Amino acid sequence: MATTMKNLSVLGATGSIGVNVLNVARSYPDLYGIKYLSAHSQADLLIEQALEFSPKAVCIGDSGHYDKVNKALPGTEVLQGRSGLLELAGRDDVHTMVNALVGSAGMEPTIRSIQAGVDIALSNKESLVMAGDFINGLLKKHEVNLFPVDSEHSAIWQCLVGESTEDIKRLVVTGSGGPFRTLPVESFANITVAQALKHPNWAMGRKITIDSATMMNKGLEVIEAHWLFHLPAHKIDIVVHPQSIIHSMVEFLDGSVKAQLGIPDMKIPIQYALSYPRHLKQDWEQLDLAKVGTLTFEEPDLKKFRCIQLAFDALEAGGSVPVVLNVANEESVYRFLNGEISFNTIPKLITNAIDAHEFIEHPNLDDILALEQWTQAFIKRS
Ligand code: MG
């Protein structure tokens, strides 16, 4: 095999993406070594992972679990808290950092890792939504690669292998439409947390599952695609594709369209981000198109799923607006999950935060971090 051994740092190792990263690593022990692991609060799973993969260091975000982790892993360096996570993200003795952290908390680790000269496999789309311009500048400066893990962006990336960016007419980001695709908008106020957490095709964490239900996830992915593939908002479209078999498409100037297909399983884009440009053998479930039978497509309903339009508007407005959009969304989602606000209040709170904030045309990292705090406080008191 032409691929050489890579040492990985996996941040957010106990979440749904992190666990699948380790599933991929487990199947190719000669290709992937695990040097660092971090978890927020799932101490038992982190310990179990560390005992299996023998990393050099781990970080437990919630300091309340530090003693337990430290006692269970003698001989392993154990870091804790936000500062421990940032320190781990800044270590330069790994080949690739997999950022599987949830939400805006993942942005600074992305930046630390680039500054350390370490390639990134990025699942944390919020990094690019909040600081895409800043991160692209850093990638260039430090000559670091950033590979998408998000299935849509992995699909576009795969469609673009061997192609010229100047030949692209548009990107078509597909989305399942989530659990409320056919629910009348009049019923949105009564959507329960349990209903919103039932995604038809993908098994994911709680935050992204709610983002899929509001379709903000698709909006965030449009912004992510803008920074990854350097195309303006009007050249990025969303098509609803309920079967989640086509993971996205690229249309070229001659009318040719390339699509990437597969079963909806994050292990495929995760492995590609680690094995690029190779597609390494796996025995997991394979796509059987005859069994799938029908692939259907429809326009997204922007009146029903207001978060999509908010995201397009934020990308168009630029500057600090996507920062506020992202953080306001995240905080609103947590308030919804806590039973504090209704499902259809989420886009209202995001709109209020964007309207109330003081616009910054070119936010630097300090501006972004200050805006994050401002927006969190704004949504908490809304
Ligand atoms: Mg996605």
Side-chain angles (χ1 to χ4, degrees), residues 336-376:
F336 170 70
L337 284 169
N338 286 337
E340 296 170 18
I341 61 170
S342 71
F343 186 78
N344 60 355
T345 303
I346 295 172
K348 287 178 198 157
L349 293 190
I350 298 168
T351 307
N352 292 347
I354 290 171
D355 290 346
H357 96 285
E358 229 165 286
F359 181 74
I360 306 171
E361 178 114 44
H362 297 289
N364 61 30
L365 186 55
D366 288 339
D367 295 329
I368 292 170
L369 292 170
L371 261 174
E372 181 185 359
Q373 291 204 346
W374 177 90
T375 309
Q376 284 168 346

Side-chain angles (χ1 to χ4, degrees), residues 18 38 94 114 118 124 133 184-185 249 287 321:
S38 91
V94 286
I114 300 170
V118 171
N124 180 264
D133 198 21
V185 71
M249 300 177 257
L287 177 61
V321 178

